[in-house]
Amino acid sequence: MSALAEVLQAVTDAETLANGEVDTAPDTLSLRQVENRFLGKTGELTGLMRHLANIPPAEKPGFGKAVNDAKTRLEERIGARFEALKAAERAEQFAREELDVTLPGRRPPMGREHILHMTMQKIKRVFSGLGFEYIETPDIEEFRYNFDVLNYPEDHPAMDEQDTFYITDSLLLKTQATAFQGHVFEQRKPPFRFFTIGRCYRNEAVDRTHSHTFHQVDAFMVDEGVSMATLKGTLGLFARQMFGDDVQIRFRPDFFPFVEPGVDYAISTQKLFDGRWVELGGAGLVHPNILESFGIDTERFSGFAFGLGVERIPMMAHGVDDLRLFMENDLRFLEQFR
Ligand code: FA5
């Protein structure tokens, strides 16, 4: 056999072998391997081109054409086989995914109220039920409403305890919901009862019970004959509504510039915290200086005020020991509250 005849035979042999492999390839993946084996850069068919150098010049074009024709035929065969295998694979996949109409449906995930929002809604129901009118209050407040109007003497150290984030020298993120009192006093004449729930901000070292951003409910009432007994009755009722009938409340003397006398307000229940006392906030009788500064006759009117941390309530009710969890929006934590 001449050199040319020999390599032409090799082309035919390679093509025959490839055809057999293509026709028996069981799936598209093995077909791709066959394709690579024969038609890849150094594949068993493509690679035959290396013999070109040994072929007399006049016969080179004939040889080149023979290899290229074989390649084209093989490519077409692979293409057809690929479509057939792909169709079979798709059919098999559909068969596996067959719809079982007897399976129960999958529920789309439902959002629900955030535990803090639920708590605030409950607080609103309780105080509205006690005749308090709800007022929405802004996060940005004037320095004077946050401090001066509330009877803080200039440079009083109590202000340092409530350092916050300043927008300008006279505008800040409010440190206490009590800041709404001055606005009400300017616009309304007693008797009245108001409450607000809002975000408060403090430049605070964050830990399990303190955040730089938290919520407070703040309320005050001015009327004839308002006393510490009225305050204690109101906060007692509130505690029973929020925590159950066996709750007890405790007042201990405390200082806030805007109340006289001032107390801290703590609650305890056997069931929830094993009889331990847990502080919820501060309270007291509205300082006469404040009433007088707004032209209210202190011989006739007196008032009480209190402010409580909202996060404390679900912390106590559900035994949560880190208030940061409420703000982190981890669904694994939040989904447990229904
Ligand atoms: C006040 O803010 C007073 N305005 C409360 C008040 C109102 C007293 C009316 C008298 C009359 P105090 O700083 O203690 O007080 O905060 C009250 C409650 O807010 C705290 O008991 C706590 O429950 C919550 N609180 C305060 N700081 C933080 C904080 N950094 N993170 C989370 N909760 C806080």
Side-chain angles (χ1 to χ4, degrees):
M1 239 199 272
S2 71
L4 176 63
E6 240 174 70
V7 288
L8 284 178
Q9 186 58 46
V11 172
T12 312
D13 290 348
E15 189 181 356
T16 312
L17 182 63
N19 285 346
E21 297 278 325
V22 169
D23 294 349
T24 55
D27 50 46
T28 49
L29 188 65
S30 17
L31 186 64
R32 287 288 174 229
Q33 284 163 355
V34 174
E35 182 179 34
N36 197 38
R37 178 179 152 196
F38 289 94
L39 296 176
K41 254 199 191 125
T42 54
E44 289 179 31
L45 188 56
T46 335
L48 292 174
M49 277 297 202
R50 70 181 181 275
H51 295 298
L52 205 61
N54 310 324
I55 289 170
E59 286 163 353
K60 279 186 203 267
F63 172 70
K65 184 170 180 330
V67 175
N68 281 331
D69 287 350
K71 272 172 63 181
T72 308
R73 280 192 301 275
L74 187 57
E75 275 162 10
E76 278 166 11
R77 198 180 190 98
I78 288 174
R81 177 80 181 147
F82 187 85
E83 287 311 316
L85 287 173
K86 188 83 203 162
E89 281 170 13
R90 244 185 249 132
E92 201 182 313
Q93 198 180 356
F94 281 140
R96 257 187 280 124
E97 282 177 5
E98 202 179 6
L99 195 63
D100 181 348
V101 291
T102 65
L103 282 175
R106 275 187 221 134
R107 264 180 202 288
M110 291 272 278
R112 61 173 70 101
E113 261 183 304
H114 192 284
I115 174 66
L116 285 183
H117 189 251
M118 279 194 263
T119 308
M120 293 184 223
Q121 292 301 99
K122 187 162 180 192
I123 294 172
K124 282 183 190 170
R125 282 198 295 278
V126 173
F127 284 122
S128 301
L130 292 172
F132 285 77
E133 206 174 307
Y134 181 73
I135 295 189
E136 197 82 36
T137 39
D139 288 8
I140 298 177
E141 185 53 276
E142 286 179 47
F143 182 93
R144 63 193 183 99
Y145 287 106
N146 200 92
F147 293 119
D148 299 337
V149 160
L150 293 175
N151 196 38
Y152 281 81
E154 223 171 297
D155 292 330
H156 193 275
M159 271 185 270
D160 297 340
E161 280 173 27
Q162 297 192 6
D163 187 21
T164 184
F165 308 93
Y166 284 82
I167 313 287
T168 65
D169 281 351
S170 58
L171 281 182
L172 44 70
L173 293 179
K174 71 173 187 285
T175 64
Q176 49 186 348
T178 320
F180 87 128
Q181 275 192 16
H183 295 281
V184 174
F185 277 126
E186 278 173 356
Q187 290 165 29
R188 300 289 286 255
K189 292 276 158 251
F192 55 61
R193 1 182 144 176
F194 284 103
F195 75 115
T196 187
I197 303 177
R199 279 188 185 211
C200 300
Y201 303 82
R202 289 187 197 177
N203 181 7
E204 191 103 61
V206 171
D207 62 24
R208 286 191 301 122
T209 52
H210 293 88
S211 174
H212 46 76
T213 306
F214 56 98
H215 297 83
Q216 282 186 342
V217 47
D218 207 278
F220 74 126
M221 160 179 188
V222 180
D223 204 338
E224 290 177 22
V226 173
S227 68
M228 287 302 277
T230 333
L231 173 64
K232 201 162 186 182
T234 305
L235 285 177
L237 253 161
F238 172 70
R240 283 195 291 283
Q241 297 271 340
M242 298 303 288
F243 297 98
D245 279 342
D246 75 327
V247 76
Q248 289 190 300
I249 72 167
R250 184 191 70 185
F251 282 175
R252 282 194 315 194
D254 200 352
F255 173 78
F256 302 93
F258 34 92
V259 283
E260 180 58 41
V263 292
D264 85 38
Y265 162 61
I267 60 165
S268 171
T269 84
Q270 208 54 45
K271 199 169 64 212
L272 288 177
F273 353 104
D274 228 2
R276 275 180 303 120
W277 289 100
V278 178
E279 188 197 308
L280 280 189
L285 294 188
V286 178
H287 201 291
N289 285 355
I290 297 180
L291 296 178
E292 278 160 16
S293 72
F294 287 101
I296 294 167
D297 177 3
T298 48
E299 293 295 315
R300 186 173 162 210
F301 288 111
S302 53
F304 72 58
F306 58 85
L308 319 171
V310 171
E311 282 79 3
R312 288 274 163 102
I313 295 170
M315 280 178 89
M316 295 311 137
H318 300 287
V320 176
D321 62 2
D322 191 332
L323 101 175
R324 288 169 291 197
L325 289 165
F326 292 124
M327 297 293 219
E328 277 170 4
N329 281 342
D330 184 336
L331 287 180
R332 288 168 303 178
F333 170 73
L334 294 174
E335 276 177 345
Q336 64 187 304
F337 305 106
R338 286 162 191 279

